[in-house]
Each structure stands twice: as structure tokens, then as C-alpha cells.
Amino acid sequence: MNQKFLQPYQFSEESDIYKEWEDSGYFNPDNLSKGRIKKYCIVMPPPNANGRLHSGHGTDFTLKDILIRFYRMKGYQTLLIPGSDHAGFETQGQYEKELKKQGRSRFGMDDKDLYKEIFDFVMSHKHIMEEDIKKLGISCDWSRNKFTLDKDVVSTTCDTFIKMYNEGFIYRGKRCIHWNPKFQTSLSDIETKFKDEKGKFYYFKYGPFVIGTARPETKFSDKYIIVHPDDKRYKKYKNKQKFSVEWINGPIEATLIKDEVANMEMGSGAMTITPWHSQVDFDLACKYDLPIEQIIDWNGKLLPIAGEFEGLNISAAREKIVEKLKKKGLLVKIDENYEHAVRVCDRTNVVVEPQVKSQWFVKMDNLSKSSLDALDEGRYKILTKTHEKIFRHWMNNPIDWNISRQIVWGIQIPAWFKDKGLDTEEIKVGKDCPGDGFIQDTDTFDTWFSSGHWPLVTLGYPNSSDMEFYPTQVMETGADLIFKWVPRMIIFGLYLKKEVPFKDIYLHGMTQDAKGVKMSKSKGNGLSPVDLVDEFGTDATRMSFVVATPPGMNTILTKDKVRAYKKFTNKVWNITRFILENIKDIELKEDKIYQEKDIKILKNLNTEISFVTEHIEKYRMDLAAERLYHYVWHDVADKILEDTKEIFKTGTKEEIQSRKQTLYVILTTSLKLLHPFMPFITETIWKDLPEGFMKDEKLIIISKWPNYDKNK
RNA sequence: GGGCGAUUAGCUCAGUUGGCUAGAGCGCUUCGUUUACACCGAAGAUGUCGGGGGUUCAAGUCCCUCAUCGCCCACCA
């Protein structure tokens, strides 16, 4: 027996094993093709190439790797594709922080210089993140590593844009969009969220009406009053009736409009509209063809239309305007405890300002519908019902998708404007400059527009032979991506390839800390998977990611849990030591006759094999792992090995021989069953296993998954 | 405002088509170092499975209801 078994398991040698696997070439399906007919492919969600892995990635990648290792052992031609995402807005935001530390700012910088700097920044981080993935033992094919800014990805993304534009799925429109004034870019709906806020709600006298508002600073050009047609309080006034109204900066003429959008329950039931700075008001203005004026500039300051308030920022202006209206006797009352939700940027928490801007939009209605149709036809499955509901809700209520971003870190939109700039009538779409006087759109694509192509571009769409792996088997990703990333991949897959890019959608929950709070960078409560690996070893860390992580459920990660699985790796190690010590003197032959007691043990092992196999096939890796833990520790170690000691003392020669043979079968089989979950220790042990009928390959990664007989 | 999820041992959580004498890890008590392992073993304590009602031969598991916590969605000015 190798001397190494006399010492506790040293997980520090894991990186050598990973190297050995890489050198073997078995991560690459091209080296697996012999006799492997069925294909099994998973595309890894590309982590943002701007930092290290977090525990969410840990769960994510571990689950996928378990599936890949399992199916590789089952004889499939397996492919797990790694990659990383440029994560446009997020990365640029992060780099801007770096700039700030250096006392610099992106404003005033040349776009090309900025892009270059961010590119270098990302490249230096990308490598670190890739090392982290290796540390987790993920058996992905690095020869197919992709980045969302690789030339072919950029090219394919642009081609899709051009195709969609030509076929009417993309249009340019002047719409009310979400504007982040601090980062100077527009955002899509899914990049914003609501934050509850306690504020003030003001009631002002407006001619014969009382109007309510939470935002007095936008009200300068409000010249239309909206009431509900059925509102009895305003029955005496006619639709389109005009009023002379004393307002913030003097008298104005206001017009009444009766429309059902007005809510009779809300305040006085009368409201004025500010089309440039409100989605609802904008729609209303379009409906009645009303003038649309900008009040607040792109930096969040008031424009000349505000008169004496010009140049003030929103919060400063609000107080002063209310003060002025109060002096004029127009302030009716202030509700001090007004609870409402403000829309903020998902990533930066900056309050977004609705602004009207010309942007590129994807028309979502038909694309959403075909995605739903494919779901109804059973062309793909969402494994958890809850998420299917959420998904259906989103797809049933599609909002046109703003894909223009005013940042440099991304793929520049292949559209060209002539002379008058961005609002010109003359627009050409295409990769090359259409002629003199045209300048390319400076905007870049929303990150999700390119990453929506991920399953396609990682497989080399449109021409690579790798497209044989399309559609992939399963999309396994965080639950929060069900309405962000997942629908976009489905849409592009259906649009470009007429097929959904994956058969199953498996969503895991969020990783939470000991208090059940979602782990996140901003809260600083994350447990880094790499730190856990350094402290407890990869195998223990992987087990802790998997056990008690059922599909769709949030999972809590604590050091205690990881520590418990470190003990388990030690247990596996010592079981091996005991068994190897005792079987070294016997000849291992398949046709050995087993004693009755051992036949029972092997039958029981058969049950374990079937449980583990069937549960992995059902994506219940959590239950499979837990069951293995229990079997190895409490059946093999506590019962079988203890019983073996008895037999060694008092058994007959035949009984001892039979038991030794049985232990060999148990050990090899257990290692195989454990391998997808705990790849390193199992491979380490496998190397020192004596040659015999159960050791079918040099490396356990390509050894055959144990068979079981359902009828036994 | 709408939707979803959670509530099981002191703590953190499993328990998926109803069959449980309700489990795991950590913690706790007692005993044990006999050549796999003290990163151990043996034995044990701790639970009206959030409250109430219902369906069933049988409910932690299904239904209704209430309570608390959490998450997501939402243009209510």
C-alpha cells in the first residue's frame, strides 16, 4: 500500500490531479468520440469577467460538473463549455470606481482609450476567475473557452441585429426610457428595480382643481389636467375645456382631458401630466398628440423652462418650489407619510429618471409568443413549477426591450446616422459605413443582447460542427435569471436556429448566509468558494454546495457545513486505507463465489447504485449526494467494516476471502458513485487501487458508471 | 396592490407521486483510545413537524384558514 494512506488526506495536491485530467484531453469531446454516440452538452453561464467567483457560481458550476462527470462515465460524449461575459454596464461601473480612486473620470476621456483600459482590466481579472473554476475541479473544455467580446461573438451579435432590423423585429424609437443620471446611460426594465421610500405627497391648487404630486419639480410645463370621465366631482367641466391657471412661474392656460387612466380613488382624482418624465404621461401625450417638453436635463438638473430654478438639482429644487407655491397660496396640504416605490438602477441603486430618448428596441410580442408556444408544445421544460409561472407571467406581458446603452464597454451597434446626429431621419443598418457623412452609433448593446446568443456562439454558430451539440441538454442557472437571461436565449435560439437552445431549465436558488440573507458583494456576507476550497478542500466544498440544494430552493452555506464534509473526505480516505491494507494479499477475480452475508451486502450496494443513478438523472443531485454520504459513512464504515473485523477474527477462510472480495467491489463502486461529487479524492485513491476486474480504466473520470439490475 | 416561498430538535436545514417508530450537520450528556479514522466509535437526551379546521384506513407530506418572516413582480400621478 502506498505510504500516502498512512497520513490524512492532503487536498493540497488537487491541482496536480486537475492538470493530469487536462493533459488526458478527456474534457474535450473530440477525444471521447470512440464508441460514444449520444451527446451531452452543457453551456456554463459566463461569469462576469470582472472579479472572482462567488458562492452562487460555486453551486452553479458544481451542479453542472456533477452532471457532466456522471454522463461522461455513462458513456456519453460530453461537453461543458466555459466562458466569460464582458458584463457591459456592471464592468464599466466597476472600472469607473477604479478611475475614481486614481482621481480620474470617464467623462472627457476618449471612447477608444477608455475601452482599451477596461479591456486590459478585464483581461487581467478574467484569468483569475478561470483559475478559480479550475480550483473547483470543473471539467470543462478550455479549448472552447469563449468571451462575449470575441470577434466571432461580436460578428454574430451584429448579424442578428441587422437581420432583426431588416425583418422588423428591431426598430428605432423615441420613447420614455429609464435614465441613470449618474452613469449617463439608459437602462431596460429588467435592469431597474423598485425601492420603497417614505416621502412627501403634495396637494396644490391648480385653477379650480386640486392636483396631487410627489414630484413638484417636474410640474413647470404641465398644461393638461386628466380626470376620469365618470368622476362626478368634475361632471360640470367639459372635455377639452380650457382654464386660466396661476402656476409656479405665472399664469398659464391649462386644458382638461377626460381619460380612464385617471384614478378616482387617488387624491382628488385630478392629475396633471409631465410626458417627458413619466411613462404613463408619455403614452397619454402620444394618444392625444400633446406637446412633450424636457424639464430635467441628463444630469438631473432643471432646464431653463424652470425659470429662476434653472440649474438646481432635483432635491434642492423641490423644497424651493414648494416654498414658492406656498407663498402664492397654492399649497393645499402636504402628506408627510407618503409611502411609494421609486425606480432605481438595479446595480448602482441610483434613482432613475424617466427621459425621452431615441433608442433601439426589440419588439417583444411575437418573439415572446413563439417562446411560449414552444413551451406549450413541450420543446423544453422548466423543472420547477414556481419558475414556470414566473416565466409565463413575463412572457405573457412583454415590454419592448431597449437594447441601446450609452457606454463604451460593449459591442458597438452597427447602425449609421447621417448629418444631424442621433435623431436624424437617415439611418442605415449594416456592418460597414454606408457612405460619406455617416457616423456610427456610439451606443453599445445591452449585455443581455449578446449573452442571449450564448448557447449559439459557444457552439460556433452558424457554421461549426460543434452545432451538433445544439440544442444543449440543460440550462442550469440562478433563479433570478428566469426573466433576464433565459428568455433571451430562448428567443434568439428560436429566431436564429428554430430550436430552443436547451431541453431542460433547472434553476437553483440564491445562496444565503447563516441568517438567511442573500449573499452578495454589496452586503459583504459572501463566502468565497475559493477560500472554502483553500480551507477545506474542493471535494468538501462541492459536497456542501450540493447537499440540501434542491432545485429552485435557496440554500444556506455555513463553514460548519463545509467542515462536516471535510470530515467525510477523511472518512472516505480511511475506509480506503482499511480496505487496501486488507485486500493486498488476495487475488481479485470476477467469478469469485460470495458468502450469503456478502451477497446481501452487494444487493444493498445495488440499491444504492440505483438510487444515486436515478436521482442524478432526475436532477436531484442533492438527494443522491446525501444518500451517498449516509451509505459510505453509516453503512460501509460503521456497519460493514466493523462486521469485517469480526469476520477477520472468527471467520472461516472462505468467509474472509469472500469479504475481502466484497470490500474491493464496495470500494471501487463507491468511488465511482462519489466521483461526480468528489472528483479529487476519488481520482487520487483510484490511482492506487490494485489492478482487478473492477478497475476498468486508468483514470476514474472515464471509468464506467456502475451498472445495476433493477430486478435484483 | 398582485404573485410566490418559508415556518420540522438548542442552532442551520433535509424529508418530491400521502405509509415516519420524523432525520442530518453543528452543539449537548455518558462511556470507550481493541492495529481504518479523535477529522473516531458506541449509547443517549431534546420535537403537540407555526396555530386552527378539513379530506383519508393513514397527513410533516393534500385542501382551507389564520399568524409571522422572506422573496419577486407592479406606471398608481
Side-chain angles (χ1 to χ4, degrees):
Chain A
M1 189 178 56
N2 194 312
Q3 285 297 307
K4 72 182 179 186
F5 287 104
L6 298 177
Q7 290 177 357
Y9 173 57
Q10 301 294 322
F11 58 78
S12 53
E13 286 156 29
E14 287 173 343
S15 58
D16 297 340
I17 299 262
Y18 193 88
K19 179 107 195 349
E20 217 170 306
W21 287 332
E22 272 197 286
D23 293 345
S24 78
Y26 294 134
F27 292 174
N28 183 336
D30 301 341
N31 302 324
L32 285 172
S33 51
K34 208 171 124 196
R36 293 173 186 251
I37 297 149
K38 285 190 272 186
K39 294 186 190 312
Y40 191 96
C41 176
I42 303 178
V43 168
M44 287 162 74
N48 299 343
N50 57 12
R52 304 208 70 166
L53 293 191
H54 54 69
S55 51
H57 294 126
T59 312
D60 221 294
F61 297 157
T62 301
L63 290 171
K64 273 181 265 284
D65 191 52
I66 289 168
L67 289 167
I68 288 289
R69 285 179 184 274
F70 171 74
Y71 282 101
R72 192 187 293 119
M73 289 171 81
K74 292 256 298 181
Y76 285 67
Q77 196 187 14
T78 48
L79 172 59
L80 181 61
I81 309 182
S84 45
D85 192 357
H86 69 284
F89 180 54
E90 184 177 320
T91 305
Q92 178 157 338
Q94 200 184 340
Y95 192 70
E96 283 180 32
K97 276 187 199 154
E98 296 285 317
L99 284 174
K100 206 177 171 185
K101 277 185 207 157
Q102 303 167 18
R104 300 161 65 202
S105 159
R106 73 137 150 150
F107 299 108
M109 269 180 87
D110 181 70
D111 280 359
K112 285 203 173 96
D113 294 342
L114 179 60
Y115 184 94
K116 174 89 182 36
E117 282 191 29
I118 301 177
F119 186 85
D120 293 342
F121 170 76
V122 164
M123 284 304 134
S124 62
H125 281 77
K126 192 169 166 283
H127 180 69
I128 299 171
M129 187 219 38
E130 285 163 0
E131 289 306 310
D132 288 354
I133 293 175
K134 292 181 182 178
K135 263 198 153 171
L136 281 169
I138 309 303
S139 59
C140 48
D141 180 7
W142 292 103
S143 71
R144 287 171 164 85
N145 196 13
K146 270 278 179 248
F147 179 48
T148 48
L149 293 182
D150 285 347
K151 266 191 185 149
D152 54 329
V153 180
V154 170
S155 172
T156 301
T157 306
C158 289
D159 285 341
T160 303
F161 174 81
I162 295 161
K163 181 175 155 75
M164 289 183 114
Y165 176 77
N166 290 333
E167 292 175 6
F169 288 103
I170 282 180
Y171 65 91
R172 186 160 180 88
K174 198 167 181 176
R175 293 297 175 84
C176 190
I177 49 96
H178 309 298
W179 180 257
N180 182 328
K182 193 175 166 200
F183 288 87
Q184 294 286 301
T185 182
S186 65
L187 301 166
S188 68
D189 290 82
I190 57 168
E191 288 168 299
T192 65
K193 62 184 177 190
F194 288 92
K195 206 169 86 182
D196 286 329
E197 205 180 67
K198 213 171 200 177
K200 291 178 182 172
F201 194 77
Y202 307 89
Y203 291 90
F204 300 116
K205 219 162 143 331
Y206 190 85
F209 304 96
V210 171
I211 58 155
T213 182
R215 301 199 60 191
E217 71 277 7
T218 64
K219 295 283 153 196
F220 292 98
S221 74
D222 286 16
K223 295 190 181 79
Y224 294 88
I225 312 135
I226 316 294
V227 299
H228 197 281
D230 300 335
D231 198 328
K232 283 179 187 139
R233 290 169 289 188
Y234 307 111
K235 211 178 163 187
K236 58 185 167 182
Y237 303 118
K238 284 198 193 89
N239 194 20
K240 306 239 169 112
Q241 190 174 338
K242 293 193 189 304
F243 301 87
S244 181
V245 172
E246 180 57 32
W247 197 225
I248 308 169
N249 290 334
I252 55 163
E253 189 184 60
T255 309
L256 182 72
I257 288 177
K258 295 196 174 186
D259 190 285
E260 280 160 12
V261 290
N263 184 342
M264 292 187 276
E265 313 291 314
M266 183 77 191
S268 61
M271 65 172 182
T272 61
I273 59 165
T274 315
W276 194 286
H277 299 289
S278 155
Q279 181 86 51
V280 193
D281 296 2
F282 180 83
D283 292 344
L284 216 52
C286 292
K287 185 173 169 185
Y288 294 105
D289 198 22
L290 309 177
I292 299 172
E293 278 179 281
Q294 189 172 12
I295 316 294
I296 298 162
D297 75 5
W298 304 101
N299 295 309
K301 294 201 160 69
L302 289 171
L303 288 163
I305 193 171
E308 65 193 89
F309 303 102
E310 181 189 348
L312 290 176
N313 69 32
I314 290 166
S315 52
R318 189 176 293 176
E319 293 298 315
K320 289 191 173 146
I321 293 162
V322 172
E323 194 56 36
K324 182 170 182 188
L325 285 166
K326 191 178 175 186
K327 269 188 197 148
K328 292 179 100 169
L330 296 174
L331 177 66
V332 178
K333 65 169 177 175
I334 302 175
D335 178 356
E336 301 277 353
N337 294 313
Y338 176 62
E339 281 176 25
H340 65 139
V342 292
R343 208 185 256 271
V344 298
C345 172
D346 197 16
R347 296 219 160 92
T348 64
N349 275 319
V350 172
V351 176
V352 298
E353 181 66 51
Q355 292 275 16
V356 174
K357 193 167 175 59
S358 287
Q359 302 275 274
W360 293 104
F361 292 88
V362 176
K363 232 167 145 271
M364 292 295 273
D365 46 1
N366 287 329
L367 296 169
S368 292
K369 198 179 168 296
S370 41
S371 302
L372 276 176
D373 290 346
L375 180 62
D376 292 335
E377 290 159 16
R379 289 160 72 188
Y380 61 103
K381 278 201 301 270
I382 299 172
L383 296 174
T384 39
K385 280 209 178 92
T386 306
H387 297 114
E388 183 174 337
K389 271 189 198 165
I390 296 174
F391 180 81
R392 286 183 180 276
H393 173 82
W394 272 88
M395 300 309 260
N396 276 319
N397 299 284
I399 299 166
D400 281 359
W401 171 20
N402 177 2
I403 52 170
S404 312
R405 295 293 173 278
Q406 290 69 51
I407 56 176
V408 299
W409 183 239
I411 301 170
Q412 202 177 349
I413 298 175
W416 305 80
F417 306 112
K418 191 160 189 182
D419 301 332
K420 283 177 283 179
L422 299 182
D423 284 327
T424 180
E425 295 288 309
E426 239 193 300
I427 298 173
K428 292 232 163 115
V429 162
K431 277 179 174 164
D432 304 313
C433 181
D436 280 352
F438 279 96
I439 48 155
Q440 189 173 358
D441 192 342
T442 53
D443 288 356
T444 51
F445 285 117
D446 176 12
T447 293
W448 300 110
F449 191 82
S450 47
S451 59
H453 289 73
W454 196 237
L456 291 162
V457 292
T458 47
L459 290 170
Y461 173 87
N463 294 322
S464 165
S465 61
D466 275 0
M467 284 305 284
E468 284 173 24
F469 285 99
Y470 189 95
T472 65
Q473 187 63 43
V474 55
M475 174 44 60
E476 193 283 314
T477 187
D480 55 331
L481 294 177
I482 186 64
F483 51 84
K484 291 180 176 168
W485 191 37
V486 173
R488 279 149 181 83
M489 288 188 284
I490 295 173
I491 283 170
F492 288 126
L494 279 170
Y495 179 65
L496 297 171
K497 192 67 190 153
K498 308 282 173 264
E499 197 50 80
V500 182
F502 26 73
K503 291 167 198 147
D504 296 319
I505 298 170
Y506 172 122
L507 299 152
H508 64 255
M510 302 289 101
T511 319
Q512 301 170 327
D513 67 10
K515 287 172 194 150
V517 178
K518 180 180 160 180
M519 284 189 180
S520 65
K521 269 188 231 160
S522 54
K523 292 193 188 95
N525 61 348
L527 277 178
S528 152
V530 181
D531 292 347
L532 292 173
V533 164
D534 289 342
E535 192 172 351
F536 304 105
T538 300
D539 292 331
T541 305
R542 284 169 64 113
M543 279 297 274
S544 67
F545 283 145
V546 177
V547 177
T549 306
M553 298 291 290
N554 290 344
T555 175
I556 289 189
L557 186 64
T558 59
K559 276 199 174 185
D560 270 348
K561 191 173 166 186
V562 192
R563 197 173 289 120
Y565 290 107
K566 185 181 172 249
K567 288 185 184 179
F568 180 61
T569 55
N570 189 57
K571 198 72 185 174
V572 172
W573 191 251
N574 280 297
I575 289 169
T576 306
R577 178 173 160 186
F578 179 85
I579 294 177
L580 292 188
E581 224 165 20
N582 286 296
I583 62 170
K584 56 190 169 192
D585 58 339
I586 64 153
E587 197 188 344
L588 298 161
K589 271 203 206 148
E590 194 158 16
D591 54 0
K592 263 269 168 14
I593 294 156
Y594 294 97
Q595 298 287 312
E596 202 168 313
K597 213 173 179 182
D598 293 326
I599 292 174
K600 210 176 153 192
I601 287 174
L602 293 174
K603 268 191 183 172
N604 192 36
L605 176 61
N606 195 49
T607 315
E608 298 303 316
I609 299 171
S610 83
F611 185 95
V612 172
T613 308
E614 283 164 14
H615 280 79
I616 298 178
E617 283 170 348
K618 284 193 287 189
Y619 297 108
R620 291 309 305 264
M621 286 73 82
D622 59 317
L623 295 182
E626 208 176 349
R627 175 78 170 231
L628 273 171
Y629 173 89
H630 194 271
Y631 174 73
V632 169
W633 198 314
H634 300 298
D635 285 359
V636 176
D638 293 350
K639 297 205 178 79
I640 298 172
L641 293 198
E642 290 307 314
D643 183 53
T644 301
K645 289 178 192 170
E646 254 332 279
I647 291 179
F648 285 172
K649 267 190 213 158
T650 60
T652 63
K653 201 181 165 194
E654 286 74 26
E655 281 170 338
I656 292 172
Q657 287 294 57
S658 165
R659 176 54 59 97
K660 286 186 175 181
Q661 176 96 353
T662 305
L663 290 181
Y664 175 64
V665 175
I666 288 177
L667 178 61
T668 47
T669 308
S670 300
L671 288 176
K672 286 183 175 190
L673 295 178
L674 283 171
H675 179 256
F677 304 92
M678 307 176 76
F680 288 113
I681 190 172
T682 49
E683 189 72 84
T684 307
I685 295 172
W686 187 261
K687 284 190 193 181
D688 285 290
L689 236 40
E691 300 300 324
F693 64 96
M694 291 298 288
K695 196 174 173 184
D696 51 351
E697 291 283 352
K698 274 226 161 63
L699 287 175
I700 198 172
I701 46 168
I702 51 157
S703 68
K704 278 199 192 65
W705 187 255
N707 280 320
Y708 65 97
D709 185 349
K710 273 185 185 165
N711 307 314
K712 252 190 193 171

